[in-house]
Amino acid sequence: MISFDNTEIAFQSKSDKDLKRAYWLFRIIGSPKVVSFGKWATNLALKLHLPIRRPVKATIFKQFCGGESIEDCKTAIDQLGKFHVGTILDYSVEGKTSDDDFDRTVEVIIQTILRAKNDPQIPFAVFKVTGIGRFDTIELAASGKQLNEKEKQDVAIIHSRIDRIAKAAFDNKVPLFIDAEETWIQDAIDTWCWEMMLRYNRERAIVYNTLQMYRHDRLEFLQKMLTQSKEAGVFYGIKLVRGAYMEKERERAAQKGYPSPIQPDKAATDRDYDAALEVITKNNDVFALCAGTHNELSSEKLTLLLAENQIEKEDERFYFAQLLGMSDHISYNLSYAGYRVAKYVPFGPVREVMPYLLRRADENTSVAGQTGRELSLIQKELKRRAGK
């Protein structure tokens, strides 16, 4: 039975200075009022072009990001690799709207694929469709409406960018995650993922779709994809997460008067997440999985399901993943026990990654118990080291 309580293993890569910095950061993130003020102050500083790069880079950026460029991430890649934890390079620049920016982002994503080629320390690449195309165009593609010629052309450009990235992943044998996004654009993303799988997942899972289990319809979707994949003779890659847009989803459903797509409570999300793990491991002839979770019980459940379905710990079709700077007690204890584990390592220019970092601070504040758990484990390890 896996244990996540060993803080010596959990923080083996961290110096006392690293731990103390993380402790104070999580103390700050744990206060909704401080986070709210911090977001306001940071956004104001960005608008006024105040010199905030240095303090941000030394604190929240250092905790949650690998660097400003792929080259900058080498230290993080090597440090994680020492402890058999992989790196998923995540170009976390958000909010762009021009075609030039989107094309530049495509090039950076392809560079992450080339960096991952033949490097066992970088098992996956990843991107968000809204990082390479306008939100409103993706929304149109998902709407089912009759599009005019200009709209069709705009959608086709996004589709071609996705195919360029997926083909690069296929040619270089690097599995590729396509992130999930808001429900009202996700149908288009699901469709594009499936098209890429039909093209590139004939021999193994190269393209992975992301399922957010805080949606009450995703278990049914999973079963549907199982049937479709068997009929089509393709492998279906899945990154399984709980989800990241809950408040926004509920607010929009209330405003527009449609039923909320979100589970009624966290227990229902947890139940469906674990049920999905069962479906995926049982049908491991079709599915490949990266379980993106900071939940100890789900992580433990997956270890038991792997054993139950006679799937080796080293099987490259089954990974655990957490975010850099969080849940090291899960990542490092799993890795120490011989499981395949990777960390999401966001990167990009400090100023341009700020929207991602502010969202991360928000999510930490809203997840009950997450920050408290991080703090208690850091305190436990600092105390253990002091008592040596």
Side-chain angles (χ1 to χ4, degrees), residues 90-151:
D90 181 13
Y91 186 53
S92 296
V93 170
E94 298 182 358
K96 299 295 184 182
T97 56
S98 78
D99 281 330
D100 284 347
D101 283 328
F102 293 142
D103 288 334
R104 225 179 343 264
T105 297
V106 170
E107 293 307 323
V108 176
I109 294 160
I110 290 172
Q111 286 304 312
T112 67
I113 291 168
L114 296 174
R115 176 64 182 81
K117 182 184 181 181
N118 300 326
D119 188 343
Q121 292 187 134
I122 310 176
F124 301 99
V126 64
F127 76 100
K128 285 177 75 166
V129 178
T130 50
I132 61 164
R134 286 169 57 95
F135 192 100
D136 56 357
T137 304
I138 303 163
E139 196 172 3
L140 271 175
S143 69
K145 292 175 186 169
Q146 189 69 38
L147 305 185
N148 63 37
E149 285 309 309
K150 172 71 168 68
E151 289 166 343

Side-chain angles (χ1 to χ4, degrees), residues 3 24 36 65 84 101 128 152 177 184 210 217 236 258 266 308 323 337 363 386:
S3 167
W24 285 109
S36 181
C65 297
H84 309 291
D101 283 328
K128 285 177 75 166
K152 284 180 187 172
F177 299 152
W184 59 98
T210 302
D217 63 347
Y236 200 98
Y258 61 83
K266 186 177 182 298
E308 192 180 300
L323 296 165
E363 285 166 19

Side-chain angles (χ1 to χ4, degrees), residues 11-25:
F11 299 116
Q12 58 193 320
S13 69
K14 303 289 188 295
S15 67
D16 289 358
K17 185 181 175 185
D18 291 335
L19 281 180
K20 284 169 185 170
R21 185 190 68 248
Y23 175 80
W24 285 109
L25 260 177

Side-chain angles (χ1 to χ4, degrees), residues 170-210:
F170 176 79
D171 289 345
N172 292 286
K173 299 180 170 61
V174 176
L176 172 73
F177 299 152
I178 299 179
D179 275 345
E181 305 202 45
E182 290 87 344
T183 52
W184 59 98
I185 64 169
Q186 188 61 39
D187 282 354
I189 296 169
D190 288 340
T191 299
W192 291 330
C193 282
W194 178 243
E195 287 175 13
M196 296 303 121
M197 288 183 194
L198 289 172
R199 204 167 289 179
Y200 301 116
N201 283 19
R202 295 284 173 186
E203 293 168 16
R204 59 179 286 213
I206 288 290
V207 176
Y208 283 58
N209 196 3
T210 302

Side-chain angles (χ1 to χ4, degrees), residues 176-320:
L176 172 73
F177 299 152
I178 299 179
D179 275 345
E181 305 202 45
E182 290 87 344
T183 52
W184 59 98
I185 64 169
Q186 188 61 39
D187 282 354
I189 296 169
D190 288 340
T191 299
W192 291 330
C193 282
W194 178 243
E195 287 175 13
M196 296 303 121
M197 288 183 194
L198 289 172
R199 204 167 289 179
Y200 301 116
N201 283 19
R202 295 284 173 186
E203 293 168 16
R204 59 179 286 213
I206 288 290
V207 176
Y208 283 58
N209 196 3
T210 302
L211 270 61
Q212 300 188 102
M213 300 312 292
Y214 73 169
R215 287 181 56 170
H216 55 64
D217 63 347
R218 292 290 89 177
L219 206 50
E220 185 184 345
F221 177 84
L222 179 65
Q223 293 286 0
K224 180 182 157 192
M225 290 301 103
L226 173 60
T227 302
Q228 269 187 217
S229 300
K230 283 181 174 176
E231 287 171 357
V234 299
F235 295 94
Y236 200 98
I238 295 171
K239 185 180 76 165
L240 197 70
V241 299
R242 277 169 167 78
Y245 304 98
M246 190 161 60
E247 309 307 329
K248 189 193 290 188
E249 292 281 3
R250 284 189 175 136
E251 280 170 22
R252 187 178 191 269
Q255 281 169 6
K256 295 192 173 281
Y258 61 83
S260 171
I262 303 304
Q263 301 271 18
D265 52 37
K266 186 177 182 298
T269 301
D270 293 343
R271 185 191 63 237
D272 276 12
Y273 190 99
D274 291 350
L277 291 178
E278 290 186 24
V279 173
I280 293 164
T281 50
K282 188 178 174 185
N283 294 282
N284 61 77
D285 56 328
V286 173
F287 290 126
L289 169 72
C290 179
T293 181
H294 292 219
N295 184 292
E296 294 167 16
L297 293 175
S298 291
S299 300
E300 183 186 319
K301 182 166 183 78
L302 181 52
T303 66
L304 297 172
L305 286 169
L306 292 175
E308 192 180 300
N309 290 280
Q310 298 178 314
I311 300 166
E312 297 292 330
K313 291 177 180 181
E314 303 83 14
D315 193 319
E316 64 180 14
R317 297 170 304 153
F318 288 86
Y319 260 83
F320 298 78

